[in-house]
Amino acid sequence: MGFSGFPDEAFLFYEGLEADNSKTYFGRHKHLYEEAVRAPMLALTDELAAEFGPAHLFRPYRDVRFSKDKAPYKTHQGAFVEAMPGIGLYVEISAEGLFAAGGVYSTASDQVARYRAAVDEDLSGKPLEAITGALVVEGYELLGDRLKTRPRGFEQDHPRIELLRHRSLFAGKRFEPQEWVHTAKARGRVEHAWRAYGPLVEWLCTHVRGSELPRR
């Protein structure tokens, strides 16, 4: 079946999961997760695949092995279209609404080094400044892990110091639950956002690329 939006039950499911993040709750409401969350997300990403590529849907279970928070389930359903390791397009549904993003989400030390070198260089840094500036003007938010102070080796008055602080960089926009989220129009909102993120993803693929460090 084609994508026809996320039903209200998807948001109700996550509101309940936030209140009771337990195996008991998830087990009793697993049919809602499968029918109102996972199935529509699969339909959405399948329809977007022709333009943006296939997406990977994340599992609903949290990895709690090294976390103090032992809540077993994620309170959102995400899907990721990978352009390069850690770089790509993302969409998420949760009790807060629909979230669409694009950029680099996790970086190894060699990627951070290449990113900052490219931001520092005018020939590559100025285009990124223009890309991110245009996204902000269009109403998208610049997000990611970033330092509170300047990175080592760069002056505080560097013209792109705010971009240099980033260890990861992505643009995103959250849409609160509205009537259109329950219809096929939700696909158009994600499409529009992902197209807007295209220049940022392309810049990151060119200058940051995948990690060259060996995986453990």
Side-chain angles (χ1 to χ4, degrees):
M1 294 181 64
F3 176 71
S4 58
F6 290 96
D8 193 49
E9 287 81 2
F11 303 100
L12 294 175
F13 169 79
Y14 280 118
E15 287 176 1
L17 186 61
E18 288 183 356
D20 181 13
N21 197 316
S22 68
K23 292 183 179 179
T24 299
Y25 174 87
F26 192 89
R28 288 176 178 173
H29 299 87
K30 189 174 181 180
H31 66 286
L32 284 182
Y33 168 75
E34 294 290 347
E35 297 168 9
V37 176
R38 191 172 187 275
M41 183 64 82
L42 280 171
L44 172 62
T45 54
D46 283 349
E47 291 187 9
L48 293 172
E51 179 175 353
F52 302 102
H56 165 74
L57 263 66
F58 294 103
R59 291 161 53 87
Y61 314 103
R62 295 181 63 250
D63 185 350
V64 300
R65 291 173 298 171
F66 308 107
S67 174
K68 292 182 180 179
D69 180 2
K70 299 301 181 182
Y73 300 101
K74 299 172 184 175
T75 54
H76 60 269
Q77 175 63 64
F80 185 62
V81 177
E82 185 178 81
M84 283 189 174
I87 303 172
L89 300 164
Y90 179 75
V91 62
E92 173 188 292
I93 189 78
S94 70
E96 296 181 358
L98 183 67
F99 179 66
V104 59
Y105 300 90
S106 61
T107 52
S109 58
D110 61 322
Q111 291 175 301
V112 175
R114 286 195 296 274
Y115 167 78
R116 289 189 174 142
V119 173
D120 183 40
E121 171 59 51
D122 282 349
L123 287 176
S124 48
K126 286 184 176 180
L128 178 62
E129 189 174 28
I131 290 167
T132 54
L135 286 169
V136 171
V137 169
E138 291 181 38
Y140 299 102
E141 186 178 2
L142 293 183
L143 303 163
D145 178 30
R146 55 187 172 186
L147 302 175
K148 294 182 179 179
T149 60
R150 64 177 177 84
R152 186 177 301 174
F154 297 97
E155 298 299 328
Q156 186 63 40
D157 61 353
H158 192 288
R160 291 178 292 280
I161 189 63
E162 293 303 320
L163 288 172
L164 286 167
R165 287 195 175 107
H166 280 265
R167 291 183 55 83
S168 60
L169 173 67
F170 58 94
K173 189 167 188 177
R174 187 172 299 281
F175 305 95
E176 295 182 359
Q178 300 177 48
E179 282 303 313
W180 60 260
V181 177
H182 307 314
T183 73
K185 292 181 180 180
R187 169 184 166 176
R189 298 296 181 101
V190 177
E191 280 179 329
H192 183 80
W194 280 9
R195 287 170 184 158
Y197 305 145
L200 175 59
V201 171
E202 183 178 357
W203 188 96
L204 292 165
C205 286
T206 299
H207 298 287
V208 177
R209 308 189 305 278
S211 176
E212 297 169 358
L213 296 177
R215 294 183 180 273
R216 294 184 178 182

